[in-house]
Amino acid sequence: SENYTWFFLLMLVAGGLTWWEFSRNLLGVDRRGLMSLGLAGWLAVACGAYFWGPSGQSIGLVLALSLGAGYTMWALQRESGPVLLNLLSRYALGHLYISFLLSFFLLLKKTDSGGLWLIYVLVVTIAADTGAYYVGTNFKGPKLCPKISPNTTVSGLLGGAAAAVVVSAVCASFLPPKNYELMALGLFLGFWGALGDLFESAIKRAIDIKDTSTILMGHGGFWDRLDSLMFNIVPVYMVADIMI
């Protein structure tokens, strides 16, 4: 449908910008060739998911990783093995983390009630983030992972999970699962999305950056905004797929 085509193009742009942020931070601004291969790999994974579903998604991922292997073989003529192995590892992480997870948005849109499921995962993730922020700010208490994310508290994590459950209960009126099933999914997403946030924070901590870019003025980059969503989209797709 026309709506799905526009959604596909929107995801291509969002994924491309996220890959650009990942590349400049983890591959280096001077690695334009590898960045281009990363974008080509994202295109392969996204097109595979869009046209052929999970099978195409898998084939696209293999093609994306193969491009990195080809780059390594070509660059070995001029650079040391350890340097290239480090680069290839980061490149592979980019596809397994960004390309693969983001392509689940395209798979979810193709399921029955795909548009409603997309609204659900967006709303429940935003609610969890908001709940975590307000509860964590007001109640404070023990830090969850102070070395990775100094501002994340246990109370915030629990507040975010509670907010996700409440939103899921409201959303149960227009989605196939029973009320208690969707609330259970919301509880899981409250914790799982927080893990996605911590995962991105760990990567940023390892390379010593605060935001992935300044493209969303005052809100960091696309990768900063999508970190929890990229984790949450996979279990939501699995549930939506089972409910068909």
Side-chain angles (χ1 to χ4, degrees), residues 23-24 27-35 71 79 87:
S23 296
R24 63 194 290 273
L27 304 180
V29 292
D30 57 332
R31 297 282 177 177
R32 292 187 180 87
L34 199 54
M35 182 188 293
Y71 177 89
E79 298 190 64
L87 273 177

Side-chain angles (χ1 to χ4, degrees), residues 60-130:
L61 183 61
V62 171
L63 178 58
L65 295 174
S66 299
L67 290 173
Y71 177 89
T72 304
M73 290 186 284
W74 171 75
L76 266 175
Q77 309 299 321
R78 294 175 306 285
E79 298 190 64
S80 71
V83 169
L84 285 174
L85 182 60
N86 185 303
L87 273 177
L88 182 61
S89 300
R90 294 179 179 210
Y91 173 90
L93 171 66
H95 283 304
L96 292 170
Y97 174 39
I98 293 173
S99 301
F100 184 63
L101 296 187
L102 281 180
S103 63
F104 276 92
F105 280 93
L106 297 166
L107 295 183
L108 181 60
K109 185 71 166 70
K110 293 181 85 168
T111 62
D112 286 353
S113 304
L116 293 176
W117 278 112
L118 280 169
I119 292 171
Y120 168 73
V121 71
L122 283 167
V123 171
V124 81
T125 303
I126 291 169
D129 283 348
T130 306

Side-chain angles (χ1 to χ4, degrees), residues 7 104-105 107-125 168 171-172 174-178 181-183 185-186 189 229 232-244:
F7 181 73
F104 276 92
F105 280 93
L107 295 183
L108 181 60
K109 185 71 166 70
K110 293 181 85 168
T111 62
D112 286 353
S113 304
L116 293 176
W117 278 112
L118 280 169
I119 292 171
Y120 168 73
V121 71
L122 283 167
V123 171
V124 81
T125 303
S168 295
C171 292
F174 61 82
L175 284 169
K178 294 173 182 173
E181 291 173 334
L182 204 63
M183 288 172 70
L185 175 62
L189 295 177
L229 270 173
N232 279 349
I233 195 71
V234 180
V236 170
Y237 167 72
M238 291 171 66
V239 170
D241 196 41
I242 290 167
M243 292 294 168
I244 292 173

Side-chain angles (χ1 to χ4, degrees), residues 157-175:
L157 176 66
L158 296 175
V165 171
V166 171
V167 168
S168 295
V170 173
C171 292
S173 59
F174 61 82
L175 284 169

